[in-house]
Amino acid sequence: MFLTNRTYKPDGIIIEKRAIPSPGKDVYSIEDIADIEKEQRKYYNTTDKIAVWAYFSDGKSDKDSEANNTVVLGTAYWNTSFVIYEETIKNLSNSPLEPSRSLLETTVINHEFGHIFGLTNLGTNLQSNHEDEDHPKHCNVENCLMYWATESAVNISNMANMSSASQLDSQCLADLKANGGK
């Protein structure tokens, strides 16, 4: 629904899901994820189609830090590629003080698609000054989908009472529209 609401794709959007063998690691770097993509990706952009690679990892990010109590839920790393750290999402959802897995997954996936769209100042020009100085390439509006905490576990407790995924704020929507999106 997010893609349909934010892009012009009159011929529709096709999503192909398939399982690939697990590399069997507990921790993944972006380089590890990119290597998996190089080996497994089947579809690439053509003149009239965009292909996006979304990998759901069975391990966690090497950027997680117990010392700082931070975890990464997802990362966009190339212009049409992102990873969702599914194991981490499973560990942070579906209990009484945590969001539903569906809500958390949806929020992180939509956030990573925002990066693929070039938001915030990641290829799509800003129409107003709303990039977070402390967290580049993220919006400084706390309830915006592109706020930095959306792709980390910092915001988890706030999500427990939410019934739907965060949305793009008016500034991110203006950026997207100026770049050809809805």
Side-chain angles (χ1 to χ4, degrees):
M1 188 65 127
F2 178 76
L3 293 176
T4 303
N5 290 340
R6 298 292 161 229
T7 62
Y8 292 101
K9 298 294 171 200
D11 294 332
I13 296 170
I14 299 168
I15 298 174
E16 179 185 303
K17 297 188 258 182
R18 67 185 171 96
I20 61 174
S22 170
K25 297 178 78 167
D26 293 330
V27 178
Y28 293 90
S29 69
I30 286 300
E31 293 78 17
D32 295 331
I33 299 298
D35 288 344
I36 294 166
E37 177 179 357
K38 289 173 191 171
E39 185 177 309
Q40 297 289 336
R41 187 169 180 168
K42 292 166 69 173
Y43 302 106
Y44 293 88
N45 294 350
T46 63
T47 55
D48 62 346
K49 292 186 181 175
I50 295 173
V52 174
W53 168 266
Y55 180 69
F56 289 73
S57 166
D58 60 349
K60 63 183 186 174
S61 170
D62 69 342
K63 301 294 184 212
D64 291 358
S65 170
E66 288 184 33
N68 295 330
N69 199 27
T70 59
V71 297
V72 177
L73 304 175
T75 304
Y77 56 94
W78 286 339
N79 63 332
T80 61
S81 306
F82 65 88
V83 59
I84 302 299
Y85 295 101
E86 187 66 18
E87 189 65 27
T88 304
I89 286 177
K90 285 178 181 177
N91 291 334
L92 294 172
S93 59
N94 282 357
S95 77
L97 299 176
E98 297 172 334
S100 73
R101 184 160 306 132
S102 176
L103 172 64
L104 186 54
E105 252 180 19
T106 299
T107 300
V108 177
I109 291 167
N110 291 353
H111 177 92
E112 299 312 329
F113 266 111
H115 286 307
I116 301 281
F117 293 159
L119 302 174
T120 305
N121 205 19
L122 193 61
T124 295
N125 293 328
L126 296 174
Q127 301 303 299
S128 62
N129 186 16
H130 64 104
E131 183 177 11
D132 187 332
E133 290 179 16
D134 294 329
H135 303 94
K137 312 304 180 202
H138 290 91
C139 186
N140 62 10
V141 177
E142 192 169 334
N143 65 348
C144 179
L145 175 65
M146 296 311 296
Y147 187 65
W148 69 273
T150 305
E151 67 185 6
S152 70
V154 172
N155 220 15
I156 294 290
S157 61
N158 295 343
M159 292 179 73
N161 297 321
M162 293 173 57
S163 59
S164 63
S166 297
Q167 301 297 309
L168 295 172
D169 77 318
S170 60
Q171 295 173 102
C172 282
L173 284 173
D175 295 347
L176 186 61
K177 290 175 184 175
N179 197 32
K182 290 184 188 177

